[in-house]
Amino acid sequence: MKIFATDIIGYKIITFHNSFEAGLVQSIIIDPENGQFLGVKFIYEKKIRVVPLSEILTFGNSFLIIKDAKSISEIDDVVKIEKALLIDAQIIDEKVETESGQKVGKVSNYIIDLSKMSLDKLYVAPAVSINFLASELIIPLTNIIEIKKKKIIVSDKYIKVKKPFFDISPSPVIE
C-alpha cells in the first residue's frame, strides 16, 4: 500500500490495548541517508514525542495504531530518529536541484510505500525553467541522490533542464 505523506499528517495516534488517543501526527520522519520511514513526530503531554516505526502496528483510514503508551518515546531515546531530526530535512517544501545545480522545483508531496516502509516518490512543483505548463514532476527514490536540510539533490540523468523558449525576466524601464 502506498500513501501520500500529507495524508498521514493529522492522523490520530491510538493505542491498541486501551484505544487511548495519544495525539495527532505532526510530521513523518524519513532517514535522509536511505529514504527509510523511521516513525512519526507529534505532541504528547505538551512535549514533542516520537513513535518509532517498530511500534506502529497498522495504518487505518485516518489513524495509526501503536502498541501502547510505552511506544511513545522522547526524540533522544531513539538514535536513528534523533540523527534524522538533527539533519532536519522536512522534505515537503524543500528545494529540489540536480547534481549539477540546476533548479528543479519544490517538493509538494511524497509517497511512502508501506510495504517497504520507505519513501517511494517525490512530487515536485517544477521551476519555470523545467516546463512552464507542467503541473508536477514525479521523481522516484532511485533518482534521489541526497536529502539535505533545505535541499534535495536528484540525478542529472533523470532531469534534463531546458532553457525556456521565452525570457520571463522583467523588462528594463526606459525613461
Side-chain angles (χ1 to χ4, degrees), residues 156-169:
D156 277 326
K157 295 174 186 173
Y158 183 73
I159 303 286
K160 299 226 187 282
V161 178
K162 297 176 187 168
K163 295 192 186 245
F165 61 92
F166 59 90
D167 186 3
I168 60 168
S169 57

Side-chain angles (χ1 to χ4, degrees), residues 8-13 21-27 41-43:
I8 296 173
I9 295 169
Y11 268 24
K12 293 178 184 175
I13 300 170
E21 187 179 321
L24 302 174
V25 174
Q26 286 191 321
S27 65
K41 185 169 77 168
F42 70 110
I43 302 292

Side-chain angles (χ1 to χ4, degrees), residues 6-171:
T6 55
D7 290 343
I8 296 173
I9 295 169
Y11 268 24
K12 293 178 184 175
I13 300 170
I14 300 171
T15 60
F16 177 74
H17 292 292
N18 59 2
S19 299
F20 169 72
E21 187 179 321
L24 302 174
V25 174
Q26 286 191 321
S27 65
I28 298 163
I29 306 163
I30 299 289
D31 187 336
E33 291 183 14
N34 58 20
Q36 288 297 301
F37 174 37
L38 298 177
V40 297
K41 185 169 77 168
F42 70 110
I43 302 292
Y44 179 70
E45 296 179 343
K46 299 181 182 179
K47 292 184 180 176
I48 297 173
R49 305 295 174 127
V50 297
V51 175
L53 177 60
S54 61
E55 298 293 316
I56 299 172
L57 298 176
T58 190
F59 286 84
N61 207 8
S62 60
F63 60 89
L64 59 87
I65 296 178
I66 62 175
K67 295 176 184 176
D68 53 33
K70 293 177 187 171
S71 300
I72 301 167
S73 301
E74 294 198 25
I75 292 170
D76 57 359
D77 288 344
V78 186
V79 175
K80 270 191 152 185
I81 287 178
E82 183 181 27
K83 283 177 68 178
L85 291 175
L86 282 173
I87 294 171
D88 194 31
Q90 299 297 313
I91 300 180
I92 292 179
D93 289 331
E94 298 288 17
K95 294 176 187 172
V96 179
E97 293 181 3
T98 63
E99 296 167 280
S100 62
Q102 296 174 324
K103 292 181 182 1
V104 176
K106 278 189 175 184
V107 177
S108 59
N109 208 343
Y110 60 96
I111 288 182
I112 294 175
D113 184 332
L114 294 177
S115 63
K116 296 177 184 174
M117 291 302 180
S118 72
L119 188 148
D120 186 56
K121 294 179 179 105
L122 295 178
Y123 283 73
V124 178
V128 173
S129 60
I130 299 289
N131 184 343
F132 186 72
L133 302 174
S135 58
E136 282 186 316
L137 299 169
I138 302 170
I139 302 172
L141 178 63
T142 54
N143 292 104
I144 298 171
I145 305 298
E146 188 175 8
I147 298 173
K148 300 172 148 185
K149 182 177 184 168
K150 308 262 186 224
K151 187 184 339 182
I152 297 173
I153 310 296
V154 298
S155 172
D156 277 326
K157 295 174 186 173
Y158 183 73
I159 303 286
K160 299 226 187 282
V161 178
K162 297 176 187 168
K163 295 192 186 245
F165 61 92
F166 59 90
D167 186 3
I168 60 168
S169 57
S171 301

